[in-house]
């Protein structure tokens, strides 16, 4: 059926018992448009919302709200791919910003909370966040690792930590072992010796590989790009 509202918004789709049920298209007077599934008059299931300027959301709805996996694209600001709860970012996610920065981690109530913020310059910060502001964690800058803590935008701790590789920093279990050891350099030397004795050749692993691996592990059963990310990393696994 077709229903035109007093404000000139328009719905075209399926009805049951006087309510929108099944597939439908809702066209707003201002040019925005939604196409997807409805249940008892509310968006429920997969849907696509397209703004008149081209920004869009594709993902799951429940009771009229974005709930579950979704992708939002705001062309001049960011591309978000991850989980929603009541229309707010919530859970594992990946965000690509228009300026070239990228975040992989978790969000809560619409804000990033913990993960890796990768700067287009090549450096990155792994730790906790409030909003987009760094709070506490580790930074990788030009091959050097720094333990950092912030109060607002002011840095109150910035101590270099030696003996930690990029791979160690990006994987919590390896990093924790290093941090608990009193001599980072000694432990790193021991690891290198073991690798040599076992004749294991570690290929070069780029930061992008690590980002993809971490994001893939966040979505073990989701559709789309996460599974492709795992394939990208698996091709570079340890070889003998």
């Amino acid at each position: 059926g077709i229903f035109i509202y007093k404000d000139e918004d328009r719905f075209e789709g399926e009805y049951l018992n006087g309510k929108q049920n099944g597939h439908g298209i809702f066209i707003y007077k201002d040019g925005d448009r939604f196409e997807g599934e409805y249940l008892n008059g509310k968006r429920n299931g997969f849907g696509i919302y397209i703004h008149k300027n081209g920004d869009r959301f594709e993902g799951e709805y429940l009771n009229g709200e974005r709930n579950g996996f979704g992708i939002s694209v705001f062309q001049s600001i960011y591309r978000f791919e991850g989980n929603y709860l009541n229309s707010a970012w919530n859970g594992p996610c990946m965000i690509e910003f228009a300026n070239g920065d990228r975040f992989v981690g978790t969000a809560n109530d619409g804000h990033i909370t913990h993960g890796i913020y990768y700067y287009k310059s090549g450096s990155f910060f792994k730790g906790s966040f409030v909003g987009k502001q760094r709070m506490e964690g580790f930074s990788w800058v030009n091959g050097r690792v720094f333990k950092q803590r912030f109060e607002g935008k002011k840095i109150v701790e910035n101590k270099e930590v030696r003996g930690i590789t990029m791979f160690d920093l990006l994987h919590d279990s390896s990093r924790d072992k290093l941090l608990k050891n009193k001599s980072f350099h000694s432990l790193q030397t021991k690891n290198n010796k073991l690798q040599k004795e076992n004749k294991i050749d570690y290929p070069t692993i780029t930061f992008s590989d690590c980002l993809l691996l971490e994001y893939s592990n966040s979505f073990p059963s989701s559709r789309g790009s996460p599974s492709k990310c795992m394939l990208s990393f698996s091709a570079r696994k340890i070889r003998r």
Side-chain angles (χ1 to χ4, degrees):
I2 298 175
F3 187 87
I4 301 175
Y5 295 81
K6 290 182 179 180
D7 59 7
E8 297 183 25
D9 290 345
R10 176 188 182 99
F11 175 81
E12 300 178 8
E14 299 173 313
Y15 283 86
L16 180 65
N17 298 325
K19 293 184 178 180
Q20 298 156 345
N21 275 280
H23 188 78
I25 300 173
F26 198 104
I27 303 171
Y28 293 86
K29 179 183 177 181
D30 64 7
D32 288 2
R33 173 190 179 99
F34 171 83
E35 181 172 356
E37 301 302 312
Y38 284 81
L39 180 65
N40 295 326
K42 294 183 179 181
R43 296 168 188 170
N44 207 87
F46 183 76
I48 300 174
Y49 191 107
I50 303 175
H51 297 267
K52 64 179 180 180
N53 66 354
D55 294 342
R56 62 192 288 136
F57 168 82
E58 299 182 22
E60 301 294 329
Y61 285 82
L62 179 65
N63 295 324
E65 300 281 352
R66 297 172 184 177
N67 279 285
F69 186 77
I71 299 173
S72 289
V73 180
F74 287 85
Q75 300 173 61
S76 60
I77 308 174
Y78 63 81
R79 180 183 190 276
F80 172 91
E81 182 173 343
N83 201 65
Y84 281 84
L85 179 64
N86 297 327
S87 296
W89 301 348
N90 196 87
C93 62
M94 179 169 69
I95 308 169
E96 297 176 339
F97 295 94
N99 65 357
D101 294 349
R102 183 187 304 174
F103 173 81
V104 177
T106 57
N108 184 56
D109 197 26
H111 301 284
I112 61 175
T113 55
H114 187 275
I116 307 168
Y117 193 102
Y118 173 55
Y119 299 89
K120 65 178 180 180
S121 62
S123 63
F124 66 87
F125 175 85
K126 179 174 184 177
S128 58
F129 298 79
V130 172
K132 200 177 174 181
Q133 177 61 46
R134 294 172 291 179
M135 294 302 293
E136 186 170 4
F138 295 85
S139 282
W140 170 275
V141 183
N142 296 325
R144 300 165 68 190
V145 176
F146 296 86
K147 186 177 186 300
Q148 298 180 326
R149 186 165 58 86
F150 296 81
E151 291 181 359
K153 294 185 178 181
K154 181 180 179 182
I155 186 167
V156 294
E157 181 182 358
N158 189 34
K159 181 179 180 181
E160 184 172 5
V161 181
R162 298 183 181 276
I164 295 183
T165 67
M166 178 177 69
F167 191 83
D168 293 327
L169 182 58
L170 290 169
H171 292 76
D172 290 326
S173 58
S174 299
R175 186 197 66 188
D176 291 343
K177 288 178 183 177
L178 286 169
L179 293 181
K180 290 176 182 177
N181 193 287
K182 293 182 180 180
S183 175
F184 300 111
H185 182 71
S186 174
L187 183 57
Q188 188 66 31
T189 302
K190 187 185 294 184
N191 287 342
N192 292 339
K193 184 179 178 182
L194 287 172
Q195 291 171 19
K196 199 170 184 180
E197 289 175 353
N198 291 319
K199 297 180 180 180
I200 296 176
D201 175 26
Y202 288 90
T204 300
I205 298 175
T206 68
F207 181 72
S208 295
D209 290 329
C210 295
L211 277 178
L212 295 174
L213 177 64
E214 182 140 336
Y215 181 58
S216 300
N217 290 337
S218 299
F219 290 95
S221 60
S222 65
R223 58 189 168 189
S225 57
S227 59
K228 295 177 183 176
C229 294
M230 279 303 295
L231 292 175
S232 172
F233 185 86
S234 295
R236 306 170 61 86
K237 284 169 59 178
I238 295 170
R239 60 181 185 272
R240 289 186 181 274

